[in-house]
Structure formats: C-alpha cells, structure tokens
Amino acid sequence: MNLKIRAAVAADGPALTRLVRTSAAYDGEYRAMISEQTIDAAYLEKNPARVVEDDGQLAGFYTLLIPGRGEPGEGELDYLFVADDQQGAGIGRLLMTDLRREAARLGLRRIHIVSHPPSEGFYLAVGARRVGVRPARGRVTWSQPILVLDLPKIEVRRATPGDGAAIGVVHAASWEAAYAPFFDKDFAAGEIASRLTRWHERVTDPQGLILLAEQDGRPLAFSWAVPSSQRAGLAEIYSFYAHPDGWGSGVAAALMAETLGQLRAEGLTAVHLWTLRDTPQSRRFYEKSGFRETGATTERDFGDGAPLPQVEYEVALMPRMP
C-alpha cells in the first residue's frame, strides 16, 4: 500500500459521490439512505473534506460540518466512507486519526456522529460514546445511534524555568522511538538519558523560542526555534519533538501552527529545519505542515562516529492579513 491523505478538491466530487452511492455497506434496506446523495463542488468548497488515496486510487474519505449539531466549537461528521476493496485494511482508523488532527487544528473540542447502524461498533472502538438515538424519519425507516467523539484540550505556551524536566521526558521518549533504532544499544541508552536533563538550563535562560504543548494538562510536545546560523534572516526549528503518546492526537500540529505563528509575529519571513533522511514519519509531518524540501543535504554525527544523512526543509511565512 502507498497511502496519501490530502484535502479534497472540487474535481473529487463525482468519485466521492460514486463511492457513497455504490457502497456495499448500504446494501438492502439501507440503500435508500444514500441512493440520492451527491457531493458536489459547492459542498466541498463549504465543508472540510479529506481523501485517502492508495497509489492514486480513492480509498476513502470523510467530511465535516462546521458548525454541525451541538454548541459552538463542536463539529459533525457528515460522511466517512471506505472503498469496498479497501475494507479491513485500516483505512477507517487512518481517517479517524486524521479527523482528530484536523479537528484539533480547527479548534474543535467535540465531533457529533449520527451513525449508520452497522457502523456504530467502529465508532465506539475509536473512542466515541453513544449519547442518544435519532428516530426513523422519511425514507430512513430505522433509528440511528447518535454518538460524540470528545477531543483533547490542547494548549501551547512558552516554556518556563519549571518545565525543564517535562521537556526532557518528551525529548527522551520521542528520541528513543524515532532515533534509537539507528544506533548501537548502549550508545542510544546514553543519548536517551542525556535528553532527560539537558533542558533544565536551556529553559532557565532560553536562547530563541521554546514552546510547550499540553494535552489535557499533560506536556506532550515541544519546539525550539533559534535564529538560523546558516541562513541569514531565517529562523531554524532546531528541535521539534512529540511524545509517542501524543502521536496522531493533533498536539504536534497545534504546536507547529503556534510555532510558525509566533515566528511570523516576530517578523520572520521563512523557517527552515534539518531532519534525518530516513525518518519518513517526520518528513510526512513537515510536508503536511507546509514545509518543502530545498534539495540541500548534510550529515550529522551524534557522537558515535557514524554520521547520518539529513535533508533540509523550508516554509515561507506569509504575513497575516489585517
């Protein structure tokens, strides 16, 4: 599988409509529910929609209504469909993970779901909870479960002198998950341990911008941006790490958005960073955040005498509109 998630565009409308109307999940009595559904350009322009492709072929999608049912700050899942030939491949969970990220980026705290009855088990399995039932009406001659998916509260703030230990825990856990496999076991253990303590002094008298992201009060990601030593007039994100417990939660996306926003507010027009070439998860995250490869490469020796290749990414910071 070669999966890619992207925003839906107007030209996707016919394919999305076809996927909905032909879905085997709605065979039999449920067909009336979706037989006349249409997803057109006007709908996609108005409502957030995300598509999963497998080698360029549509594998699934979801759409959000904002506002939907509920209170301000809450949205509604309008469509979530997986192609028949992709059932059981994890596409649904991938879509829900992406939905959580997008909802966090949009500042939502809760998603409402009026479920196709056979799909209720899936939504319960990914963390939703039932709150009611919508009675049968019109062509829909059966009741539908109503669920809500509560989203974590994410806050991003400047690090304070008392945050050194919390940042160290995040750094050590993230580095162990993403970087330790590249090194000898004993060397990696020393590097992990050193990251637990190196932030106490840095946050006492910080050089540059250190931000800490908390999810429901728990520190789960941090960034450190400094004036670039290589590119005059640019900032460099020298450290950006998220605890594995926060992967897929939207906390890293919220942190990156705030990091770039504060650098923009300081008058910076572009930001660059270096990341290991062979860390595809990190590279996908930076690309999703708007960064693009510059083509520049280098090597970094972490101290074991075996340098690892790095690639450079850059993003332009557009000025805020008045």
Side-chain angles (χ1 to χ4, degrees):
M1 300 179 75
N2 183 18
L3 300 177
K4 176 183 178 182
I5 301 181
R6 61 170 176 82
V9 297
D12 293 319
L16 301 184
T17 298
R18 186 165 53 252
L19 191 159
V20 170
R21 291 188 180 183
T22 61
S23 173
Y26 286 78
D27 282 345
E29 63 176 324
Y30 298 120
R31 182 61 55 190
M33 188 175 179
I34 49 85
S35 61
E36 297 181 6
Q37 296 294 310
T38 299
I39 301 174
D40 56 20
Y43 177 92
L44 292 172
E45 182 177 351
K46 179 181 179 181
N47 302 296
R50 303 275 292 170
V51 168
V52 176
E53 293 178 330
D54 182 8
D55 284 326
Q57 299 299 310
L58 177 63
F61 77 101
Y62 72 84
T63 71
L64 283 171
L65 301 180
I66 305 171
R69 64 185 62 237
E71 302 176 357
E74 301 181 355
E76 181 175 351
L77 180 64
D78 198 18
Y79 292 95
L80 189 150
F81 278 78
V82 175
D84 290 342
D85 62 356
Q86 295 280 357
Q87 294 291 331
I91 301 298
R93 286 183 176 272
L94 179 63
L95 287 167
M96 290 300 295
T97 297
D98 189 78
L99 181 148
R100 289 174 183 272
R101 292 194 190 103
E102 286 298 298
R105 184 182 66 81
L106 294 166
L108 301 178
R109 65 175 182 273
R110 180 174 295 159
I111 300 295
H112 293 257
I113 304 166
V114 179
S115 176
H116 174 40
S119 299
E120 181 181 14
F122 166 75
Y123 291 120
L124 293 172
V126 295
R129 55 188 174 87
R130 183 191 266 225
V131 295
V133 175
R134 184 163 78 176
R137 62 181 185 180
R139 292 181 304 147
V140 180
T141 58
W142 56 90
S143 62
Q144 296 172 273
I146 299 174
L147 306 99
V148 295
L149 180 68
D150 293 308
L151 302 171
K153 182 180 180 182
I154 297 174
E155 294 185 298
V156 182
R157 60 176 175 81
R158 285 182 178 263
T160 68
D163 291 322
I167 294 175
V169 169
V170 172
H171 195 182
S174 178
W175 197 94
E176 180 177 11
Y179 286 76
F182 292 101
F183 302 98
D184 171 81
K185 183 177 179 180
D186 290 338
F187 179 82
E191 291 296 290
I192 294 165
S194 75
R195 281 158 175 77
L196 287 169
T197 57
R198 65 176 59 177
W199 290 94
H200 293 77
E201 183 176 350
R202 286 178 181 171
V203 294
T204 301
D205 185 20
Q207 301 296 313
L209 173 69
I210 303 177
L211 297 180
L212 182 63
E214 298 175 323
Q215 178 178 290
D216 291 335
R218 178 187 175 187
L220 280 178
F222 76 95
S223 65
W224 182 27
V226 298
S228 175
S229 62
Q230 303 167 321
R231 311 273 298 278
L234 272 67
E236 178 178 358
I237 296 180
Y238 197 75
S239 293
F240 192 100
Y241 290 91
H243 195 290
D245 289 353
W247 290 358
S249 70
V251 68
L255 174 62
M256 181 59 80
E258 184 64 21
T259 301
L260 298 181
Q262 292 213 25
L263 293 173
R264 182 189 299 110
E266 293 177 5
L268 277 300
T269 59
V271 180
H272 77 121
L273 59 85
W274 294 92
T275 190
L276 289 187
R277 183 194 64 194
D278 299 321
T279 51
Q281 181 174 333
S282 297
R283 295 178 67 174
R284 285 194 299 268
F285 171 76
Y286 294 132
E287 290 165 3
K288 186 175 181 180
S289 300
F291 286 80
R292 295 294 178 263
E293 284 188 70
T294 66
T297 62
T298 188
E299 291 186 331
R300 179 176 177 182
D301 187 343
F302 284 79
D304 65 343
L308 296 174
Q310 291 186 308
V311 293
E312 185 187 40
Y313 281 83
E314 182 178 331
V315 64
L317 300 179
M318 302 299 293
R320 292 187 186 275
M321 299 300 292

